[in-house]
Amino acid sequence: MICDFTKNYDYLVVGAGFFGAAFARIMTDAGKTCLVIDKRNHIGGNAYTEQVDGIEVHKYGAHIFHTSNEEVWGFANRFAKFNDFVNTPLAFFKGKYFNLPFNMNTFRELWGVETAEEAKAKIASQTIDVAEPKNLEEQALKLVGRDVYETLIKGYTEKQWGRDAKDLPAFIIKRVPFRFDFNNNYFNDKYQGVPVGGFTAMIEKMLDGIDVRLGVDFAELKVYADKIARKTVYSGMIDEYYDFCFGHLKYRTLRFETERVEVKRYQRSAVVNYTERAIPYTRIIDHKQFEFGNQDYSIITKEYPAEWGEGTIPYYPINDDENNGLYAKYRAKADEEPRVLFGGRLGAYSYLDMDKVVLMAMNLAKKELSE
Ligand code: FAD
């Protein structure tokens, strides 16, 4: 039998990632009943981590929790103790390392400059004056000039999107944050860190006492959904929920290659971006550095961007006019169906960091509890 869900719940929560888990926790604490399902055989969604040889491996790419929102930080700290990890990624281009985000260390590595005035003058001398950039290349040259663009942006972005920068829309780069101090901390947020013991343990604690079924695709239950629960909270793909009736939303995906290497310190930083187009991967992650591991070996993951298709994970929505228009159609359809509530990064068809997804779950829960 496909469905042996005999209990009636207030909410059937589809997706055991940050969104579904946070929503289920808040509603359970408020006295509501929730059943959380996930089609994967694990909780945590894309933030899932797994122990391999004593190292927490970020199975779907490097995840660092960061936020400036006090309520979100307070909530997250109920389920984990965060370590003091600060994200200071590096870029590697033609044999040289560059600090990220773009700051005075980067400009010194590029041009040997020491002061903000020198760096600003160098950038100004290289930017181009175009009112309406026609493509990503023009937009980048307008914002950052040739050296930063060619060394740190062009190859990486082309790999990420699988197309030449001249064939990519300008909107992909809205602005480029420059810092004219020597601060390599990637995030501007007040709080950041990695949960001690991994993200999976954190989500496990969040779901403590809540009914969870793994390896269950909502598609198998859709016809019974209103018998299982009063409402469905859906953090899967909104177009899939509606059987792609208006067409498919587009995404980019990633392929990960993970290996154990018998080296104590594989690379200089937990995350190194490879900005040359000739190198097929965009990043290498050295997992043990997220938890200051001191093992004699390392577990590393190479991240390869790829075209998304059936059977692959939709990581990055392609928010161009065409897809945003399509999403608006699905949203309008969703608004006509108040017993299904969409959320999370796939429900919102938007790239969202974990803290934003938690905030979204908090807001939805508040709304539900006020009704
Ligand atoms: P997900 O984590 O995707 O969870 C949704 C769940 O729903 C999935 O487990 C899926 O299996 C399940 N599901 C979907 N459809 C169905 C269905 N039909 N039936 C049953 N289950 C279903 N954020 C940060 O804050 N910091 C970072 O450093 C960071 N790094 C990132 C690196 C990469 C490479 C990527 C891709 C993202 C990164 N993010 C980061 C973003 C972070 O992954 C998201 O914010 C977070 O995973 C969103 O949670 P979610 O619950 O909305 O979605």
Side-chain angles (χ1 to χ4, degrees):
M1 185 164 129
I2 296 172
C3 176
D4 63 350
F5 296 86
T6 48
K7 196 168 144 189
N8 283 107
Y9 295 87
D10 291 311
Y11 295 93
L12 169 60
V13 179
V14 181
F18 258 94
F19 179 80
F23 179 84
R25 177 76 272 147
I26 300 164
M27 296 312 272
T28 304
D29 289 350
K32 305 290 178 191
T33 52
C34 298
L35 169 65
V36 179
I37 63 162
D38 203 298
K39 63 182 175 187
R40 300 185 197 180
N41 61 8
H42 61 72
I43 58 167
N46 287 344
Y48 173 68
T49 53
E50 185 180 278
Q51 278 252 334
V52 179
D53 298 340
I55 295 172
E56 281 295 321
V57 171
H58 298 221
K59 289 295 269 194
Y60 304 95
H63 278 71
I64 301 120
F65 197 92
H66 57 99
T67 189
S68 293
N69 183 302
E70 299 290 342
E71 203 186 348
V72 168
W73 185 238
F75 180 77
N77 276 269
R78 281 175 57 193
F79 312 106
K81 181 175 163 15
F82 284 86
N83 68 16
D84 295 330
F85 181 83
V86 173
N87 194 24
T88 55
L90 292 169
F92 183 81
F93 182 80
K94 297 198 172 160
K96 275 189 76 178
Y97 286 94
F98 297 89
N99 284 109
L100 296 172
F102 307 140
N103 68 64
M104 283 306 300
N105 289 312
T106 329
F107 306 138
R108 181 159 60 190
E109 288 143 2
L110 268 172
W111 302 309
V113 296
E114 288 297 334
T115 66
E117 290 67 34
E118 286 174 288
K120 284 178 188 171
K122 197 83 189 164
I123 292 164
S125 74
Q126 296 192 356
T127 52
I128 60 166
D129 187 17
V130 274
E132 290 287 328
K134 286 195 297 295
N135 53 45
L136 186 142
E137 177 155 306
E138 284 190 7
Q139 170 78 334
L141 290 172
K142 177 180 173 166
L143 294 172
V144 303
R146 188 149 301 273
D147 287 347
V148 173
Y149 169 63
E150 286 188 347
T151 312
L152 301 168
I153 295 177
K154 185 175 189 293
Y156 188 87
T157 312
E158 289 181 338
K159 286 190 282 190
Q160 220 179 6
W161 296 97
R163 277 190 274 164
D164 283 352
K166 285 196 181 93
D167 299 328
L168 286 166
F171 83 87
I172 291 178
I173 299 185
K174 291 196 179 69
R175 52 182 206 95
V176 175
F178 279 137
R179 284 189 195 151
F180 293 99
D181 56 17
F182 291 85
N183 179 5
N184 294 328
N185 179 351
Y186 195 74
F187 299 122
N188 290 316
D189 281 319
K190 190 167 170 191
Y191 307 109
Q192 70 179 293
V194 171
V196 175
F199 279 101
T200 306
M202 177 181 176
I203 300 278
E204 203 168 84
K205 216 164 163 205
M206 211 181 277
L207 289 169
D208 190 30
I210 297 171
D211 287 353
V212 178
R213 297 277 178 101
L214 298 176
V216 179
D217 193 322
F218 176 75
E220 296 162 25
L221 307 179
K222 196 170 178 184
V223 290
Y224 313 106
D226 57 352
K227 297 198 174 54
I228 297 168
R230 205 166 45 79
K231 285 191 177 178
T232 296
V233 172
Y234 194 83
S235 67
M237 289 158 57
I238 190 167
D239 53 344
E240 188 174 55
Y241 180 89
Y242 288 114
D243 298 322
F244 309 103
C245 63
F246 301 123
H248 286 256
L249 288 165
K250 292 200 182 97
Y251 303 85
R252 289 285 291 168
T253 192
L254 296 168
R255 183 170 62 80
F256 298 105
E257 263 177 22
T258 300
E259 61 181 304
R260 175 179 158 140
V261 283
E262 302 308 313
V263 178
K264 194 175 175 83
R265 178 46 56 110
Y266 179 79
Q267 60 186 23
R268 294 185 190 187
S269 179
V271 179
V272 177
N273 291 4
Y274 285 79
T275 56
E276 264 167 82
R277 191 164 181 183
I279 296 175
Y281 41 85
T282 43
R283 292 199 278 199
I284 299 185
I285 301 160
D286 180 357
H287 296 274
K288 77 176 184 212
Q289 292 200 39
F290 292 116
E291 48 188 8
F292 315 111
N294 202 26
Q295 292 88 338
D296 288 330
Y297 52 88
S298 306
I299 309 273
I300 60 145
T301 297
K302 291 181 180 146
E303 194 174 300
Y304 298 82
E307 208 64 60
W308 175 75
E310 204 65 39
T312 64
I313 296 175
Y315 287 108
Y316 299 108
I318 299 184
N319 289 110
D320 57 11
D321 289 346
E322 188 189 331
N323 285 290
N324 286 343
L326 195 54
Y327 173 68
K329 282 190 183 177
Y330 283 115
R331 241 337 325 156
K333 197 166 170 63
D335 290 343
E336 289 165 13
E337 198 178 1
R339 71 160 299 285
V340 184
L341 309 167
F342 291 89
R345 62 182 190 95
L346 294 171
Y349 191 61
S350 177
Y351 179 87
L352 297 169
D353 278 330
M354 292 177 279
D355 62 324
K356 300 295 180 302
V357 157
V358 169
L359 187 62
M360 189 188 256
M362 284 175 160
N363 289 337
L364 180 63
K366 275 181 202 152
K367 189 163 170 283
E368 283 297 291
L369 292 169
S370 69
E371 279 174 4

